[in-house]
């Protein structure tokens, strides 16, 4: 936790603040990250670093999870969408803060193991679905917030369509393996969008299963 706070302080010019919402920090402190990493890496679970989780994917760095969650400005009654479940860590952090989390994962093996893990840990307010998150999850739309944890070449239109006016989409945008920026996209009451660029980031690419 101290490392996260330190890195937030160091990156305050990008973030526009020197400390995150204490509720977000409390949620990170509460989720047992060791339950989300492979057993052999349990010793590294509390390092402020990303780790491999199989299927060529990674669990995000705690600092990034904290920052993205803070940018979403979650409220207790919210229904939020996450694209890119991976191991389910970000979904669990969100589940500590909001009423309901829908999380979409495109790799079946990851979706199934994350769903089992979240259930085992008692996160009854998370639903994991297999699918292409670039299309969102229209069944439960509109959302009070959307977080994308894989980098898209541009903002998927379906996600804007599924976001409530006045609320936020947090998404890394850029080239796979190249320069990516974390964007905070606010949907205006008139239905338009206002984009704010924050940190340079490195996420795995958002795959398009349909080519
Ligand atoms: N949120 C995770 C990090 C996930 S890494 C955490 O908390 O640690 C990104 C994930 O996005 C990977 O699991 C990858 O399989 C998934 N992904 C990539 N393209 C996707 C798509 N089009 N739809 C849904 N998930 C996708």
């Amino acid at each position: 936790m101290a490392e996260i706070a330190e890195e937030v302080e160091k990156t305050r010019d990008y973030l526009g603040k020197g400390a995150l919402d204490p509720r977000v920090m409390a949620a990170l402190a509460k989720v047992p990250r060791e339950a989300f990493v492979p057993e052999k890496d349990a010793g590294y679970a509390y390092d402020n670093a990303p780790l491999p989780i199989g299927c060529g994917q990674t669990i995000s760095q705690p600092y990034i999870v904290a920052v993205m969650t803070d940018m979403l400005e979650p409220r207790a009654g919210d229904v939020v969408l996450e694209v890119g479940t991976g191991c389910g860590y970000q979904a669990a952090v969100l589940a500590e803060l909001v009423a309901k989390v829908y999380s979409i994962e495109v790799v079946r093996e990851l979706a199934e193991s994350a769903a089992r893990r979240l259930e085992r840990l008692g996160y009854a307010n998370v639903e994991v679905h297999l699918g292409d998150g670039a299309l969102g999850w229209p069944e439960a739309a509109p959302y009070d917030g959307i977080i994308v944890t894989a980098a898209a070449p541009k903002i998927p239109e379906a996600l804007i369509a599924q976001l409530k006016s006045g609320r936020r989409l947090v998404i890394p945008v850029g080239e796979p393996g190249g320069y990516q920026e974390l964007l905070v996209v606010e949907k205006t009451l008139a239905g338009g969008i206002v984009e704010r660029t924050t940190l340079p980031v490195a996420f795995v690419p958002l795959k398009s299963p349909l080519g």
Side-chain angles (χ1 to χ4, degrees), residues 158-181:
L159 299 185
I160 298 294
Q162 291 172 33
L163 182 64
K164 281 189 195 166
S165 292
R167 302 307 302 268
R168 295 171 157 202
L169 162 68
V170 178
I171 180 170
V173 170
E175 296 309 315
Y179 190 71
Q180 302 167 4
E181 280 174 330

Side-chain angles (χ1 to χ4, degrees), residues 53 55 57-61 65 82-91 103-107 110 131-134 149-150 203-209:
I53 54 167
C55 301
Q57 301 303 330
T58 52
I59 176 169
S60 299
Q61 184 194 13
V65 173
E82 180 197 20
V83 173
T85 317
C87 59
Y89 179 68
Q90 170 79 72
S103 186
I104 311 300
E105 171 57 55
V106 75
V107 176
L110 291 174
D132 177 8
T149 64
F203 276 85
V204 298
L206 189 71
K207 289 181 258 209
S208 39

Side-chain angles (χ1 to χ4, degrees), residues 39-198:
E39 232 169 83
K40 65 170 177 50
D41 291 328
Y44 304 106
Y46 294 96
D47 290 359
N48 187 23
L51 285 169
I53 54 167
C55 301
Q57 301 303 330
T58 52
I59 176 169
S60 299
Q61 184 194 13
Y63 160 78
I64 283 290
V65 173
V67 160
M68 289 177 77
T69 306
D70 185 85
M71 286 172 174
L72 198 66
E73 295 192 343
R75 303 173 195 162
D78 284 355
V79 176
V80 303
L81 175 71
E82 180 197 20
V83 173
T85 317
C87 59
Y89 179 68
Q90 170 79 72
V93 170
L94 289 168
E96 296 282 357
L97 293 158
V98 303
K100 178 93 192 189
V101 180
Y102 290 88
S103 186
I104 311 300
E105 171 57 55
V106 75
V107 176
R108 179 179 293 275
E109 197 182 323
L110 291 174
E112 288 175 353
S113 68
R116 275 197 304 272
R117 174 180 297 115
L118 289 163
E119 196 189 341
R120 178 164 50 80
L121 294 169
Y123 288 104
N125 60 338
V126 183
E127 262 183 47
V128 179
H129 292 280
L130 181 66
D132 177 8
L135 306 175
W137 187 255
E139 284 86 338
Y143 299 100
D144 298 297
I146 303 179
I147 275 192
V148 181
T149 64
K154 60 182 187 56
I155 301 167
E157 272 172 35
L159 299 185
I160 298 294
Q162 291 172 33
L163 182 64
K164 281 189 195 166
S165 292
R167 302 307 302 268
R168 295 171 157 202
L169 162 68
V170 178
I171 180 170
V173 170
E175 296 309 315
Y179 190 71
Q180 302 167 4
E181 280 174 330
L182 189 58
L183 300 188
V184 178
V185 183
E186 196 168 315
K187 187 165 174 178
T188 64
L189 294 176
I193 59 167
V194 177
E195 283 178 40
R196 185 161 58 87
T197 300
T198 64

